[in-house]
Amino acid sequence: MTKRPVSETELMLKGYGLTTAEFFYRMPDYRHVLNSYIWQDYDLAPDHPRLFEFIEFWQREIEGPLHSVRFTHRKLIAPGEWRNVVGEFRYH
């Protein structure tokens, strides 16, 4: 049985927020040169399992060693910001 893809809205309603990380890494052939890579995904704070999974992938598969990582996390839907609208009134 294949797993149905989860929409971004479903993830946000489950508590996920958008995590953006900037990876600074050394070039494989020029170790004195730093380069950067931007990564974004929906993740759960404060544990950030998807971010740490990507860091482990990087260390295992990418030749450029990591220098540092900085990241930010923003919950896009918070309590009190989302409500069910039952009707709409239009006024000319």
Side-chain angles (χ1 to χ4, degrees), residues 28-75:
D29 295 334
Y30 302 96
R31 298 293 175 145
H32 61 284
V33 177
L34 282 178
N35 205 354
S36 67
Y37 176 79
I38 302 293
W39 174 89
Q40 278 189 327
D41 201 354
Y42 288 95
D43 210 352
L44 283 170
D47 296 332
H48 300 285
R50 290 186 177 179
L51 174 61
F52 286 109
E53 180 181 319
F54 184 77
I55 291 172
E56 289 172 5
F57 164 79
W58 185 291
Q59 291 174 333
R60 187 177 61 249
E61 301 292 333
I62 307 294
E63 289 184 29
L66 287 175
H67 174 269
S68 59
V69 178
R70 75 177 167 181
F71 68 96
T72 184
H73 178 84
R74 171 81 172 128
K75 251 185 153 172

